[in-house]
Amino acid sequence: MTSALLEDLADQNLAHAVRIHARWQPAGRLLELNGVLLHQGTLPLPLPHQNCVIRVDQAVAPELVLKQAQAFFGGQANPYAVITMSRQDLDLDAYLDAEGFTAQADLPAMLAEAPVAMPPIAADWRIDLLARADELPAFVDVCAKAYATLGLPEVFTPSFFVDTAGLLAPDVSIALARRQDGLVGAAAMVLHTGDVAGIYWVGTLPDARGHGLAAACTAAVTNLALERGAQGVALQATHMGEPTYRRLGFREYGRMTRWSR
């Protein structure tokens, strides 16, 4: 597979992730119409996996994307985000800017195409895969506390995982960093979405940071996805996580922007 085709598939991974996240929010709405994916989740937040819009056919005119978004969400009382990828959506970026949208996030889109080395961690920690329903609350708790430091209020995070049983589906794998006393201190999720898998919900409890736990979890799910047949593993990095992913061997191939108003 050429690098260009692999990167095209990596750009599509976030749309796959939104579809999967929609399964975990049964009260939400997911619509794909005229080359546009629209998702309304369980929170009125303009975020990926909540209220978001992604153009999945780059031939769709930017004005049609926005027209469908406005019809689906029903105006400013129901805010939404339009997610764009720099390799394919420059025309949509320009149109959103002209229409008064603001770029709320501009993050590196990254890709790994070969297994990565497992970072060393302290002897009293181990990395294993989430396998049982009774482990799900610990994973959600890590996500809630980790992403609170990035601006997502802790109380909101469970709304991404209303149907937690869906996290045990075959196309989802979650690595946990577990201390000898049973504390789960970090986690990373991979979604097995075909030739390019996607990594999401990488995080560490604030008190457990600085020990390489999230990096080890990320390496574990990256290698698992490649072992299961993926030719690449994609992620959109936060500014906090970007240096870690670069050290692991991920490369930046584009940018992801989240627009809202």
Side-chain angles (χ1 to χ4, degrees), residues 1 46 61 163:
M1 184 180 298
D163 178 16

Side-chain angles (χ1 to χ4, degrees), residues 104-115:
Q104 303 292 346
D106 176 18
L107 304 176
M110 307 185 79
L111 188 62
E113 297 148 83

Side-chain angles (χ1 to χ4, degrees), residues 93-179:
D93 285 335
Y95 185 78
L96 293 167
D97 184 55
E99 290 294 311
F101 283 72
T102 300
Q104 303 292 346
D106 176 18
L107 304 176
M110 307 185 79
L111 188 62
E113 297 148 83
V116 301
M118 281 293 296
I121 58 174
D124 59 339
W125 290 91
R126 71 178 190 274
I127 308 298
D128 54 25
L129 290 178
L130 186 153
R132 305 189 315 269
D134 61 2
E135 298 174 308
L136 293 170
F139 165 70
V140 176
D141 183 63
V142 168
C143 293
K145 290 181 169 61
Y147 281 81
T149 64
L150 296 174
L152 179 66
E154 188 174 332
V155 68
F156 288 165
T157 301
S159 296
F160 290 82
F161 309 114
V162 176
D163 178 16
T164 55
L167 298 173
L168 298 171
D171 57 355
V172 182
S173 296
I174 298 170
L176 303 176
R178 198 187 311 273
R179 202 167 57 190

Side-chain angles (χ1 to χ4, degrees), residues 5 11 14 23 85 97 102 127 159 172 185 214 227 232 247-248 257:
L5 180 54
D11 275 348
L14 185 59
R23 302 193 320 233
M85 305 301 289
D97 184 55
T102 300
I127 308 298
S159 296
V172 182
E227 290 169 9
R247 288 194 297 271
L248 285 174
T257 304

